[in-house]
Structure formats: C-alpha cells, structure tokens
C-alpha cells in the first residue's frame, strides 16, 4: 500500500460515514410511530404533487414551445430576428449585465457586514434588504417615476435642465432592475456566512493577513457556491422582470422594450405566434437557469460532504506501506 492510498483512506472513510449517517437518520425518522404513514397516503401525496407539476408547470411550458413553432422554423426565426425583437433582447442583456455585477458587489458587502460585524442598525439594514420582496414591482416603478420623472418628478427640473433622461430610458430600466433584484445575492449569502462563523477570519487576522487577503483567500472560497447560486437567481429575475420595468420604460418600441415587454406588445397585437416565439427565449432561459442551479446545488452538496468527511477522525492504518 503506497502513501497515496493512505492519504485517500481518511477521505473515503469520512464520506462513507456521512452517507451511512444520513441513511441511519432516515431510518430513525421513518421508524417513529408518529411519523409513519400508510402506503396509500404516500402514493396520494406523490400523485397530487406530480399532477400539480404536470398541469401548472410542465403543461404551460410545453405549450409555449408548441405555439412558438406552430408556423414552422422560418416564422419562428423571423419573429426573434426582427429589429424590435433584437433591440429588446439587447436591452434585456444590457440591464442584466449592469444590475447583476452591481448587486454582486452590494450583496457581498451587505452579507459580510451583517454576518461578520455587530453595529447599531443591523436589524434595520436586514429589513431594508427584504424591502423589494415586500413592495410590489409596480409600486417600485412608480417611485422612480415620482423621483426622476421629467415633468412631475422631484428631480425632473434639474434633469431637464441638464438634458438628462432617467425615466422612459435605459437608466430607468437599469435602476428598476437593480431595485427588484438586489436582495437575491445578499439573502443567499447572509445565512451562509452566519453559519460559517468568524473563526477562520479571526485566525487569518492573527496570522497577519490584511482585509483583501482575508476576503480572497478565506471568505470567498467558503461562499463561492452560495454566491454563484445567488447570481444565477439574480440574473434570471433581472431578465424576466416585468412590473417595475413596464412602468419606467414608456413602452417605446425598439428603444425601451425588454423581452417581457415585447412579448406583451406582440400578444396585445394578436400576433400570437411571434409573441410565443419571443416568450420561448425566456422559457429557454428558465430551463438553462434551472440546469445551472441544479449543478450548483450538486457541487455545493459535494463540497459539504467532502468538508464533513475531512472532519471525521482518520482511521488507524492496519497494514504496512510497501
């Protein structure tokens, strides 16, 4: 037995111990009389879950693609390649490309501040992060119109005097997108960083590391999967946002319409085939997001299992190395 085998034995033993521990926990869970259910109850719950999934999730998703390709591939390509559709796709990508990195910086900073430090107003800051979840996106859009509107906005006169346009232009769409998406990354990282504690950062400080070294070598590797998960959710919401963007966009065709707004315009014009063709792009984005989300969860689970396995005590070697 060589040295590499000895190094692999503790990891394998730890992984097996974690797996067996989960199996034992599942058996103990179902062995309790209060938690046991009859087979027909399990079958009924499974049937209801699958039925709900089929009728309310799978069927509408399939209908989008069926209607999108009903008139053939040529009509589908013509619908998504027309100038207005391409402009809406470009604007959607621009809004996401600006809002997601900004929310990334804010989310990491807010999560690090809340999870690692104690200060006055901490609970208030946490509440403010949840504000976009509580406020309707339409109300958020109206707020931006009230503040930045050219005619009746609080800053309207100043913006008009300096020939600046926020509402009914790209900046307003970006601001609305940032508002409705900024909780996703922070809310994903705060519980993760709180559960990890501050011991590793404190140890790095004792060893002489500065703030940036602590972040890039200690904090970031520990939160990378949660951070990626939050970015995926933030990007999906940024590209699919409708309510707030609809209020601040002005629905200027070919200029301030994102993909969801372009779908609404096509549908209101009874151009159903084209509207479903453009909507299929958002549905495809949802499927890709779901696939990436599943992969991230799988990798994060692997990382947790490996960490738990490495924490298990190493077994004593029974043989001699050759």
């Amino acid at each position: 037995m060589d040295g590499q085998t000895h190094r692999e034995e503790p990891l394998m033993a730890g992984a097996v111990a974690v797996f067996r521990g989960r199996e034992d926990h599942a058996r103990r869970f179902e062995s309790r009389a209060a938690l046991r259910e009859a087979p027909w109850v399990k079958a009924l719950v499974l049937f209801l879950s699958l039925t709900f999934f089929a009728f309310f999730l799978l069927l509408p998703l399939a209908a989008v693609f069926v209607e999108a390709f009903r008139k053939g591939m040529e009509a589908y390509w013509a619908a998504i390649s027309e100038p207005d559709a391409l402009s809406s796709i470009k604007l959607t990508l621009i809004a996401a490309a600006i809002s997601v990195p900004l929310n990334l910086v804010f989310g990491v900073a807010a999560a690090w501040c809340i999870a690692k430090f104690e200060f006055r107003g901490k609970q208030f800051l946490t509440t403010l992060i949840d504000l976009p979840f509580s406020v309707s996106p339409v109300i958020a859009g109206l707020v931006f119109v009230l503040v930045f509107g050219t005619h009746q906005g609080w800053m309207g006169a100043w913006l008009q005097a300096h020939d600046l346009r926020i509402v009914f232009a790209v900046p307003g769409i970006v601001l609305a997108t940032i508002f409705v998406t900024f909780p996703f990354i922070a809310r994903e990282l705060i519980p993760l960083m709180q559960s990890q504690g501050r011991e590793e950062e404190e140890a790095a400080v004792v060893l002489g590391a500065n703030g940036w070294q602590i972040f890039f070598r200690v904090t970031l590797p520990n939160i990378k999967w949660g951070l990626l998960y939050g970015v995926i959710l933030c990007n999906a919401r940024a590209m699919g946002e409708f309510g707030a963007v609809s209020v601040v966009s002005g629905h200027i065709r070919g200029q301030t319409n994102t993909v969801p707004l372009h779908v609404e315009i096509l549908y209101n014009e009874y151009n159903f085939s084209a509207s479903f063709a453009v909507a299929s792009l958002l549905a495809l984005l949802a499927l890709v997001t779901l696939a990436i989300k599943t992969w991230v969860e799988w990798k994060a689970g692997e990382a947790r299992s490996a960490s738990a396995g490495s924490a298990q005590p190493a077994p004593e070697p029974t043989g001699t190395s050759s």
Side-chain angles (χ1 to χ4, degrees), residues 254-279:
Q255 297 183 29
T256 62
N257 276 338
T258 59
V259 172
L261 300 183
H262 187 61
V263 171
E264 182 199 28
I265 287 178
L266 293 175
Y267 191 85
N268 290 337
E269 293 176 349
Y270 302 100
N271 193 352
F272 300 125
S273 178
S275 66
F276 278 105
V278 180

Side-chain angles (χ1 to χ4, degrees), residues 27-315:
R27 293 194 194 100
R28 290 195 302 270
F29 182 83
E30 293 191 353
S31 65
R32 298 173 185 173
L35 300 175
R36 284 199 301 267
E37 296 290 350
W40 69 268
V41 175
K42 297 180 181 179
L44 178 61
V45 172
L46 181 61
F47 173 76
L48 292 177
S49 301
L50 293 178
T51 301
F52 184 89
F53 171 78
F55 279 94
F56 293 98
L57 296 176
L58 187 60
L59 187 61
L61 183 63
V64 170
F65 288 98
V66 169
E67 292 296 328
F69 291 97
R70 182 179 294 277
K71 294 185 178 180
M73 190 65 190
E74 292 184 0
Y76 178 85
W77 179 253
I80 64 175
S81 61
E82 67 164 339
D84 290 344
L86 293 177
S87 175
S88 67
I89 295 172
K90 179 181 178 181
L91 181 56
T92 301
L93 294 176
I94 290 174
I98 297 175
S99 61
V100 173
L102 291 178
N103 282 323
L104 172 64
V105 175
F106 168 80
V108 173
W112 198 1
C113 182
I114 292 174
K116 305 296 183 180
F117 302 101
E118 297 295 334
F119 55 92
R120 291 183 179 179
K122 179 177 179 178
Q123 188 60 42
F124 180 67
L125 176 59
T126 306
T127 304
L128 287 180
I129 292 176
D130 291 333
L131 184 63
F133 288 149
S134 305
V135 177
S136 170
V138 175
I139 301 302
L142 288 175
V143 169
F144 285 111
V145 173
L146 177 63
V147 175
F148 300 109
T150 304
H151 300 292
Q152 299 178 347
W154 294 349
M155 299 180 62
W158 185 87
L159 292 172
Q160 196 168 18
H162 292 79
D163 195 23
L164 298 175
R165 180 179 291 272
I166 303 296
V167 178
F168 307 147
V170 176
I173 294 174
V174 173
L175 287 175
T177 304
I178 291 174
F179 179 85
V180 298
T181 58
F182 84 81
F184 285 93
I185 296 177
R187 263 299 165 199
E188 186 64 32
L189 293 180
I190 289 173
L192 176 61
M193 296 176 75
Q194 285 177 335
S195 65
Q196 291 175 350
R198 295 178 286 188
E199 290 79 8
E200 294 187 16
E201 284 84 357
E202 291 172 352
V205 172
V206 172
L207 294 174
N210 58 38
W212 290 112
Q213 289 174 330
I214 294 173
F215 175 74
F216 284 108
R217 297 187 181 184
V218 179
T219 305
L220 187 59
N222 289 336
I223 66 171
K224 61 180 179 180
W225 295 116
L227 180 62
L228 182 57
Y229 186 79
V231 168
I232 292 170
L233 296 180
C234 180
N235 181 71
R237 177 63 187 273
M239 290 190 175
E241 173 56 28
F242 179 84
V245 172
S246 177
V247 175
V248 301
S249 71
H251 293 271
I252 304 174
R253 195 161 185 167
Q255 297 183 29
T256 62
N257 276 338
T258 59
V259 172
L261 300 183
H262 187 61
V263 171
E264 182 199 28
I265 287 178
L266 293 175
Y267 191 85
N268 290 337
E269 293 176 349
Y270 302 100
N271 193 352
F272 300 125
S273 178
S275 66
F276 278 105
V278 180
S280 68
L281 298 178
L282 291 177
L284 184 61
L285 170 66
L287 294 176
V288 172
T289 301
L290 181 62
I292 298 175
K293 172 178 170 290
T294 304
W295 177 80
V296 170
E297 289 177 341
W298 174 65
K299 294 295 291 184
E302 276 194 340
R304 286 193 297 267
S305 298
S307 176
S310 63
Q312 297 290 328

